[in-house]
């Protein structure tokens, strides 16, 4: 296993978490014109309406004691300790990715809700069947969303 957390973690986070984050950002559809009238063309304004901010962010420092390895049956497993260092209850999503060069070979997702100050073990097993040991990077990234 090689571990290069810099660009790999950003690539993994973008590919796994960005579609979820952008799901609520679509512009609303235009209302249909009333019968017998002509709808005016919709011209976008110079300013964009921004969806309300969601209390979600990358949770730097939330993972410790990470271990990722390939098992004899050809699958991979990942374990770590997840900690909520914040002052509010939060839902954490841990995204583990197996990559080689610029390709994502497989991934696993773990979701846990933790109270402030709470710590728990997280694990994922049985993913990445037959991903090669040599040249494969295993990296995790974690995001959090406050639930208050």
């Amino acid at each position: 296993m090689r571990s290069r957390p810099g660009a790999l973690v950003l690539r993994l986070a973008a590919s796994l978490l960005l579609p979820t984050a952008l799901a609520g950002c679509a512009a609303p559809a235009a209302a249909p014109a009333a019968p017998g009238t002509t709808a005016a063309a919709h011209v976008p304004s110079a300013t964009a309406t921004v969806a309300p901010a969601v209390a979600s962010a990358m949770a730097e420092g939330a993972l410790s004691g990470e271990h990722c390895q390939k098992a004899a049956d050809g699958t991979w497993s990942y374990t770590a300790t997840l900690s909520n260092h914040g002052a509010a209850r939060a839902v954490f999503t841990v995204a583990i990715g197996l990559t080689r060069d610029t390709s994502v070979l497989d991934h696993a997702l773990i979701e846990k809700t933790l109270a402030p100050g709470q710590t728990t073990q997280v694990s994922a097993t049985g993913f990445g069947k037959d991903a090669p040991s040599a040249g494969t990077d295993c990296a995790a990234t974690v995001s959090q969303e406050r639930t208050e």
Side-chain angles (χ1 to χ4, degrees):
M1 171 186 84
R2 296 184 302 170
S3 182
R4 294 179 303 192
L8 176 63
V9 169
L10 293 175
R11 209 171 47 239
L12 178 64
S15 67
L16 297 176
L17 301 177
L18 189 58
T20 302
L22 295 177
C25 294
T37 63
T38 304
H42 177 67
V43 178
S45 66
T47 59
T49 303
V50 179
V54 177
S56 180
M58 299 310 292
E60 296 294 326
L63 290 174
S64 62
E66 296 177 90
H67 185 72
C68 189
Q69 71 180 23
K70 186 173 183 177
D73 68 355
T75 63
W76 288 73
S77 65
Y78 172 88
T79 59
T81 300
L82 177 64
S83 301
N84 182 354
H85 300 295
R89 184 174 191 81
V91 176
F92 292 86
T93 301
V94 180
I96 305 105
L98 294 176
T99 62
R100 185 173 195 168
D101 300 321
T102 59
S103 299
V104 176
L105 304 175
D106 200 2
H107 72 280
L109 295 173
I110 303 167
E111 189 173 285
K112 291 283 184 180
T113 302
L114 299 178
Q118 185 179 5
T119 297
T120 190
Q121 291 297 118
V122 292
S123 64
T125 58
F127 65 98
K129 178 77 172 156
D130 299 325
S133 298
T136 298
D137 291 317
C138 181
T141 187
V142 61
S143 66
Q144 72 181 47
E145 183 177 335
R146 289 194 318 254
T147 61
E148 300 179 286

